[in-house]
Amino acid sequence: MRRTLTAIAATITAMLGLGAAGTGNAAEQERQSASISSGVYINEFATRGADPDGALKEFIEFCNRGSATVDISGLVLANLGTWIIPVAVIPQPTLLTPGSAYLLASTSFTGAIPDQFFDTSTDIPDSVGIALLNWIGEVMDAAATTYSTLFLRGAPAEPLTPCDAAAGLSLTRVEFTGSTKTDFVKMLATPGRC
């Protein structure tokens, strides 16, 4: 399974032509922002939870704010610099109805019951970019906590710290400007709810 995810990640990275970290133009950010506002988006994520093993208690939540059901089948990737971490493959067909959430969580996660677990053999770093890609390689949404990622949109949000995790915080979307720093703030985690 890990080899399959790695092969898929490499193929999609090549398809996207992802180059230097943090590169991109305003037209691409505008296109991505427009696609988010019409449907599926990253609503909340945490790169760590409370101890013990807090670094492995990770989750990513997607929501559909559109008026139509959307197939979210595809690949969830994390990225730091040139390091691509295949987090999960969302199976076909996985349909997300309007107003619904889809929760991906590590096998060490101890919160709401997720829709799908992902392997925690590779920790998702606190400084990271996260993206949901569909099967043809289009980025459906992305968020970042570092400039050193292929999935940067505007400025990055501040990464979670061990103190944030102990307080039960996650990075939660509050706006749709196209800049992760503006769109995500640290708030009490509510995984599984849009």
Side-chain angles (χ1 to χ4, degrees), residues 20-193:
T23 61
N25 59 42
E28 175 63 12
Q29 285 184 351
E30 185 177 310
R31 183 194 68 76
Q32 291 171 347
S33 183
S35 71
I36 296 166
S37 63
S38 65
V40 175
Y41 62 97
I42 297 170
N43 185 57
E44 181 178 7
F45 67 99
T47 54
R48 61 175 51 248
D51 284 330
D53 300 323
L56 298 176
K57 294 180 179 174
E58 306 152 326
F59 74 87
I60 305 166
E61 176 188 79
F62 302 101
C63 291
N64 180 359
R65 74 181 203 152
S67 59
T69 297
V70 177
D71 186 351
I72 62 166
S73 306
L75 183 63
V76 179
L77 298 177
N79 165 253
L80 179 59
T82 59
W83 183 36
I84 299 283
I85 304 164
V87 177
V89 174
I90 300 175
Q92 288 184 319
T94 299
L95 304 177
L96 191 60
T97 59
S100 295
Y102 189 86
L103 181 62
L104 282 172
S106 67
T107 54
S108 300
F109 180 71
T110 55
I113 298 171
D115 295 288
Q116 182 178 340
F117 286 105
F118 58 83
D119 181 23
T120 57
S121 61
T122 302
D123 173 40
I124 298 174
D126 295 325
S127 294
V128 70
I130 296 172
L132 170 63
L133 286 72
N134 64 20
W135 287 109
I136 60 172
E138 296 171 329
V139 175
M140 294 176 75
D141 194 16
T145 58
T146 180
Y147 282 101
S148 297
T149 181
L150 303 170
F151 304 128
L152 182 63
R153 295 207 171 152
E158 185 179 324
L160 293 176
T161 66
C163 290
D164 294 330
L169 303 181
S170 67
L171 286 164
T172 303
R173 186 182 292 272
V174 294
E175 293 192 51
F176 291 87
T177 67
S179 173
T180 306
K181 184 175 186 167
T182 303
D183 294 345
F184 286 85
V185 298
K186 293 178 182 180
M187 295 178 66
L188 190 60
T190 60
R193 290 187 263 161

